[in-house]
Amino acid sequence: MNRQVSESYPIGVLLALVGGFLDAYTYLCRGGVFANAQTGNIVLFGLHLSQGEWGASLSYLVPIAAFFFGVYVTESLKSRYKGRGGRLHWRQVTVAVEALVLLIVAFLPQGDWDSMANILISFVCAMQVESFRKLSGSPYATTMCTGNLRSATENLYHFRRTGDDAFLRRFRQYAGIILFFIAGAAVGAYATRRFCAEAVLFGLIGLAAVFLLMFREELEENGEEQK
């Protein structure tokens, strides 16, 4: 069975680091918000609507729309590049777009431009979560942890009940992704306190590593198929 390059554990680890990093960055440097997931924004949007606070509700609708647009753009890139062949995978294109957007965020001044920074990061996280959806064949996310925590617990339970090592392996994978997300948040907190707005540039390191690793692993897979 051919393994998708995008489903490899090293790529999952790198993306989890980036996801945790961006959550810490937006919280500490861009107005005390979490731009990676939209559940909170959707709840606050509804809350302000119920109180007739139209302007406040619109401020939460914008990052939701940015996330929507990020998923839409990702699917468009997938349709355009998938199956074309060549050296560049469609997921590498999305990673390159993510990196470009984060580069723009780094040059947005703190304060008045925080809302725009959070909108752009919401777009980036939407692209990442839509592009990388499986880890060794199992669904997961790299920009949020709720689903990963549920899956880790579920697999641990089934391992304890059946003794099947496959459940234990999946539990360890999910637990590892959660731990690396936490590590990314810790690194993000340190970098943000020291470099503030420009700290987001460190996130580019993880994305660059993913971009290059996909080249390496694809070459290794092609070599195995030729043996």
Side-chain angles (χ1 to χ4, degrees):
M1 182 175 64
N2 290 330
R3 175 176 59 88
Q4 288 284 333
V5 174
S6 60
E7 296 182 19
S8 72
Y9 193 68
I11 285 179
V13 163
L14 288 168
L15 292 173
L17 285 168
V18 173
F21 185 99
L22 292 177
D23 245 0
Y25 172 79
T26 57
Y27 184 79
L28 292 174
C29 183
R30 296 297 188 175
V33 300
F34 296 112
N36 288 16
Q38 297 305 310
T39 303
N41 288 331
I42 291 171
V43 170
L44 290 170
F45 173 67
L47 176 64
H48 287 290
L49 275 182
S50 70
Q51 297 172 344
E53 299 171 346
W54 313 116
S57 64
L58 181 61
S59 69
Y60 291 102
L61 182 60
V62 173
I64 295 170
F67 194 93
F68 175 93
F69 187 59
V71 173
Y72 193 92
V73 168
T74 301
E75 287 300 308
S76 299
L77 290 172
K78 179 180 177 180
S79 298
R80 181 174 182 179
Y81 287 95
K82 188 175 182 180
R84 280 193 170 189
R87 292 290 306 279
L88 202 63
H89 193 279
W90 70 267
R91 288 186 175 89
Q92 287 174 294
V93 177
T94 66
V95 169
V97 173
E98 287 181 52
L100 177 61
V101 174
L102 290 186
L103 184 62
I104 294 171
V105 170
F107 291 97
L108 295 179
Q110 188 181 10
D112 293 340
W113 287 91
D114 286 349
S115 293
M116 178 57 68
N118 290 327
I119 289 168
L120 292 175
I121 290 176
S122 292
F123 175 82
V124 164
C125 291
M127 295 194 75
Q128 181 165 309
V129 77
E130 183 67 11
S131 298
F132 299 89
R133 300 170 64 173
K134 288 187 177 182
L135 180 69
S136 301
S138 299
Y140 84 128
T142 59
T143 63
M144 58 198 83
C145 284
T146 303
N148 296 334
L149 181 59
R150 176 195 60 79
S151 297
T153 307
E154 181 182 83
N155 279 280
L156 179 61
Y157 167 79
H158 287 300
F159 168 70
R160 294 291 301 274
R161 186 175 65 86
T162 66
D164 188 341
D165 287 340
F167 290 116
L168 180 61
R169 176 179 58 81
R170 285 194 289 269
F171 164 73
R172 288 173 174 169
Q173 287 183 331
Y174 281 118
I177 292 298
I178 293 170
L179 289 175
F180 278 106
F181 188 93
I182 294 170
V187 173
Y190 175 80
T192 300
R193 289 191 179 102
R194 184 163 185 180
F195 301 103
C196 205
E198 293 81 7
V200 75
L201 292 172
F202 287 97
L204 298 180
I205 299 173
L207 294 178
V210 169
F211 187 89
L212 296 174
L213 190 58
M214 289 188 73
F215 274 131
R216 177 182 174 184
E217 294 200 356
E218 188 170 358
L219 289 173
E220 290 177 352
E221 286 184 6
N222 291 338
E224 290 177 0
E225 290 175 0
Q226 293 173 2
K227 289 181 181 180

